[in-house]
Amino acid sequence: MDLQEIAENAADLLHAPATLEDRDFHLVAYAPHGDTIDPVRMESILHRRATDAVRTRFERHGIARATGPVRIPADTSVGQLGRLCLPVRWNNVTYGYLWLLDDQERITSTEAARAMPLCERAGHLMARQARERDDLGWKVADLLSAHPDTRTQAATELTEAAAPDPPFTVAVLRTPSPEPLNPWLLPHSALTTVWQRDHVLVLPQTAARTTVDRARRLLEERNAPVQAGVYSPCLTLDHVHEGWLRARVAARAAAPGETRDWTTLGVLRLLRTAGDEALAQTTQTRGTEQLLKHPDLTETARTYLDLAGNVQKTAQALNIHRQTLYHRLRRIEELTSLTLTNGQDRLTLHLALTLSPHLDQPTQARDS
């Protein structure tokens, strides 16, 4: 019997709509019984979680510590019907709650007692799944290890644990929130972990886009900006480590609220090849460092080079007169000691300006 079947059996047994949620009030399963519904149940089903206000209101009744049924009275101010809460526990640990809409209090204590074995079964399943997901999370973290032997062992164990079929997509979501994603809210095929402050997902390629979007929304609900990067395909679990390194670069290059794919990065792929200080030493000169101290000239140079040296389009993009643009270009050449009509000089400047916003290490004086 799975968790959905438990919710359905409880609804049939107690003749009331049932909702099974984890201890963080995320929806696990639900079963209708008649047409009875209220805003709390509707919110949980539509958004797959109860609101923080609902959680606070219900927890005031001591449900987190309860070992038996708890009656939650109606609250007409918010349209909430009365309901019965059956704690879902295993080995004296609460893993969730089985809710029955029962505004008329038709469910007797005897009937509620008959449903408690269902809650015990649900608690056992939720405890086991929590352990399995924790174990998988550790194995996914081992896939990202710097030690090849550890990665090989993790790939073998995940394959034996019925990991999803390849090819895989690796996604990295960056946010200030360190709290791991709730695995109940993601598909079972999604392997997740937190590694080096990144939320990392290993997904079947066919389901990657919708799952990454779902994970992003869950993190954004914490009022934290999300930078996301993806890489695919990883043909085997042995390729996940490199996929993670590339997805990290894509997330690093993404703006808050944006998802970048490794294939769209162009020259920013160089961020994968070396550390920031080494890249700065390689791409910056004394002249480009001087230019970076002048924001208007830096923006002008970057726009001019991004538009392939088209004066008319650059002036329009910057909303300045052509003569002003020519004056700025001469000033750029003076500061950098580079000639904008020379292809190699243009490449040097364009590379320096493209990489500089993504380099975390402060630059030192370079050779000109």
Side-chain angles (χ1 to χ4, degrees):
M1 184 185 302
D2 63 17
L3 294 169
Q4 178 59 42
E5 290 174 325
I6 289 173
E8 292 171 355
N9 285 353
D12 290 340
L13 177 65
L14 299 178
H15 308 290
T19 305
L20 180 60
E21 295 177 336
D22 71 9
R23 59 189 166 203
D24 293 320
F25 284 71
H26 296 112
L27 182 70
V28 175
Y30 70 95
H33 194 281
D35 298 327
T36 305
I37 196 166
D38 70 351
V40 173
R41 178 176 168 84
M42 184 177 297
E43 178 82 15
S44 177
I45 293 172
L46 289 179
H47 299 285
R48 306 200 62 82
R49 63 175 299 174
T51 65
D52 291 340
V54 168
R55 176 176 181 172
T56 299
R57 192 161 64 243
F58 287 176
E59 286 183 339
R60 289 185 186 135
H61 294 274
I63 59 174
R65 299 180 301 277
T67 58
V70 177
R71 182 72 62 178
I72 307 294
D75 187 340
T76 56
S77 67
V78 293
Q80 171 196 308
L81 298 177
R83 60 218 324 113
L84 187 65
C85 174
L86 304 183
V88 174
R89 293 167 58 84
W90 179 253
N91 284 345
N92 297 318
V93 176
T94 299
Y95 286 93
Y97 308 101
L98 180 65
W99 301 97
L100 290 308
L101 279 185
D102 187 31
D103 197 51
Q104 303 299 318
E105 299 189 12
R106 293 172 179 167
I107 300 174
T108 67
S109 58
T110 301
E111 291 171 334
R114 286 204 299 268
M116 291 306 295
L118 289 172
C119 294
E120 184 176 3
R121 174 61 178 165
H124 178 243
L125 289 175
M126 293 173 77
R128 188 177 69 187
Q129 290 184 18
R131 287 194 301 270
E132 289 173 351
R133 286 181 180 267
D134 286 344
D135 289 344
L136 288 177
W138 283 110
K139 289 182 175 64
V140 173
D142 284 345
L143 287 178
L144 312 180
S145 169
H147 304 288
D149 290 346
T150 301
R151 298 200 299 267
T152 299
Q153 180 66 25
T156 300
E157 292 176 354
L158 280 168
T159 300
E160 293 173 351
D165 294 329
F168 303 105
T169 292
V170 181
V172 168
L173 292 90
R174 289 190 155 187
T175 171
S177 175
E179 181 185 351
L181 286 161
N182 188 319
W184 295 103
L185 300 182
L186 297 174
H188 282 282
S189 59
L191 305 177
T192 69
T193 192
V194 176
W195 186 252
Q196 296 186 12
R197 301 188 303 277
D198 292 339
H199 296 270
V200 183
L201 286 75
V202 180
L203 312 161
Q205 191 172 356
T206 53
R209 178 174 301 227
T210 56
T211 305
V212 172
D213 288 345
R214 175 66 178 158
R216 169 191 284 285
R217 287 195 298 272
L218 291 172
L219 290 172
E220 287 173 345
E221 286 177 359
R222 304 173 187 174
N223 297 317
V226 175
Q227 296 170 263
V230 296
Y231 173 80
S232 64
C234 292
L235 299 181
T236 70
L237 289 170
D238 294 312
H239 293 94
V240 165
H241 180 259
E242 177 62 26
W244 164 63
L245 292 173
R246 296 184 181 191
R248 288 191 92 193
V249 171
R252 179 179 175 181
E258 182 184 25
T259 298
R260 291 292 298 269
D261 190 297
W262 167 263
T263 61
T264 70
L265 298 186
V267 74
L268 291 179
R269 294 187 188 190
L270 288 173
L271 296 170
R272 166 70 187 94
T273 65
D276 288 8
E277 183 63 21
L279 285 173
Q281 290 280 0
T282 303
T283 62
Q284 296 287 351
T285 68
R286 289 191 180 92
T288 59
E289 289 178 0
Q290 288 300 313
L291 176 62
L292 289 169
K293 297 176 182 178
H294 302 269
D296 288 347
L297 294 179
T298 298
E299 182 186 13
T300 298
R302 185 179 288 114
T303 304
Y304 177 75
L305 294 169
D306 285 346
L307 294 174
N310 188 305
V311 171
Q312 181 178 353
K313 290 183 178 180
T314 302
Q316 290 174 345
L318 296 172
N319 196 27
I320 60 176
H321 194 275
R322 281 195 190 189
Q323 291 305 314
T324 301
L325 175 58
Y326 285 129
H327 172 75
R328 290 186 183 181
L329 294 177
R330 286 193 296 271
R331 181 63 178 143
I332 290 166
E333 290 182 327
E334 293 170 0
L335 281 171
T336 62
S337 299
L338 298 171
T339 303
L340 292 177
T341 56
N342 180 286
Q344 289 298 312
D345 283 358
R346 286 160 68 122
L347 177 60
T348 297
L349 180 57
H350 204 182
L351 186 60
L353 293 178
T354 300
L355 288 178
S356 63
H358 303 283
L359 299 179
D360 294 332
Q361 296 296 325
T363 58
Q364 307 293 327
R366 318 293 170 202
D367 295 333
S368 59

